[in-house]
Amino acid sequence: MLFPLYWMLNASLLPSTDLVKSSPTWIPLHGTLQGYRRALSSQGSHLLVSLGVSAGTVVLVLLIAVPAAYGLAQLRAPGGRLLTFAFLIAQMIPGVVMANSFYTAASKLHLLDSPLALILADSTLCVPFAVLVLQAAMRGVPAELSEAAVLDGASRLRTLLSVILPVSRNAVVTASLFSFLFAWADFLFAVTLTTRDDRAPVTVGIYRFIGAHLSDWNSVMATGIIASLPAAVLLVVAQRYVAAGVTSGAVKD
């Protein structure tokens, strides 16, 4: 399973001449960092765009999903079952169906080539998933905690921020992580809503970089390694929170 990752790292360190030999070079004893230098010089701006879009998506998703999940799980909002069913249906809509609509909306709102357009588009797919994860976690929070906070004079907002969110920390981390990873890896909306190369995120940058440097495979592989690092680091750091977050609310006492 890890062989493709090893081969990508190995190829990113080998000179291009070694990559086209008839016998493969398994260990880059005479490796070079030239590919990484070219990758950073050409993809650095795209990485910054991706970081901004991914972070903005996480913030927007949490601003929408946390109160929505709180209303559905703790306040028993009217029409909650129907809304939850709508979120499930929204998960089944292919992204390509929405891409054309997003392009038309972004064009009319003059948001083409804007990070805001990508944040809004990515959030559209991330919010339903985040609400479902957070709702399952918040259903497991004992109602006595909310009632005690209300009796102490806390408002609904204060109860959410001071009581519910700390208890649902694992689910919040899980929803944030998956939202970040989706926005980071998104290619469909990115290639649809960006026409200028300097405004494109790293997925589109790699796509165009491969097209322009098809024979320079160590640079292409180095770009892939660099683009994978933020997602890999986040997965390692948040692994234990995700394991607890996806199973929260699965078992009732």
Side-chain angles (χ1 to χ4, degrees):
M1 188 172 68
L2 294 177
F3 182 79
L5 182 60
Y6 153 74
W7 191 250
M8 188 164 67
L9 178 62
N10 182 47
S12 69
L13 296 171
L14 290 174
S16 295
T17 52
D18 288 1
L19 294 173
V20 294
K21 288 181 177 178
S22 56
S23 58
T25 303
W26 297 101
I27 301 176
L29 295 177
H30 305 289
T32 174
L33 295 176
Q34 187 63 32
Y36 285 91
R37 283 192 283 269
R38 281 195 292 266
L40 286 174
S41 65
S42 64
Q43 301 297 317
S45 60
H46 299 308
L47 287 168
L48 291 177
V49 172
S50 285
L51 280 175
V53 170
S54 301
T57 300
V58 171
V59 171
L60 182 58
V61 167
L62 291 182
L63 285 176
I64 298 173
V66 167
Y70 177 56
L72 292 173
Q74 291 282 322
L75 305 182
R76 309 293 181 185
R81 288 181 180 273
L82 183 61
L83 190 56
T84 302
F85 181 72
F87 284 136
L88 288 171
I89 293 297
Q91 297 290 296
M92 303 176 188
I93 301 176
V96 68
V97 174
M98 295 186 282
N100 288 334
S101 303
F102 286 146
Y103 179 84
T104 303
S107 178
K108 290 186 175 180
L109 295 172
H110 305 289
L111 289 177
L112 285 178
D113 297 315
S114 167
L116 180 59
L118 288 177
I119 291 172
L120 293 173
D122 292 336
S123 299
T124 303
L125 287 184
C126 295
V127 164
F129 173 79
V131 171
L132 294 175
V133 171
L134 291 168
Q135 182 188 4
M138 290 179 182
R139 281 187 187 280
V141 179
E144 289 80 3
L145 290 178
S146 299
E147 294 169 359
V150 172
L151 288 175
D152 288 341
S155 64
R156 292 295 185 188
L157 179 60
R158 179 68 181 274
T159 303
L160 171 62
L161 296 178
S162 302
V163 177
I164 303 298
L165 274 185
V167 179
S168 309
R169 180 189 59 184
N170 293 331
V172 173
V173 173
T174 301
S176 303
L177 178 65
F178 278 93
S179 299
F180 185 93
L181 294 180
F182 176 81
W184 183 265
D186 170 57
F187 175 77
L188 178 63
F189 296 155
V191 79
T192 302
L193 299 176
T194 56
T195 57
R196 291 173 49 180
D197 188 59
D198 60 331
R199 300 293 181 88
V202 71
T203 49
V204 179
I206 292 175
Y207 172 71
R208 292 169 180 165
F209 185 74
I210 292 175
H213 299 80
L214 192 56
S215 60
D216 190 8
W217 280 105
N218 68 333
S219 298
V220 172
M221 294 298 178
T223 305
I225 290 291
I226 293 172
S228 303
L229 282 179
V233 171
L234 280 177
L235 281 174
V236 171
V237 171
Q239 185 178 13
R240 64 190 181 97
Y241 297 105
V242 173
V246 295
T247 56
S248 59
V251 178
K252 293 182 179 295
D253 296 331

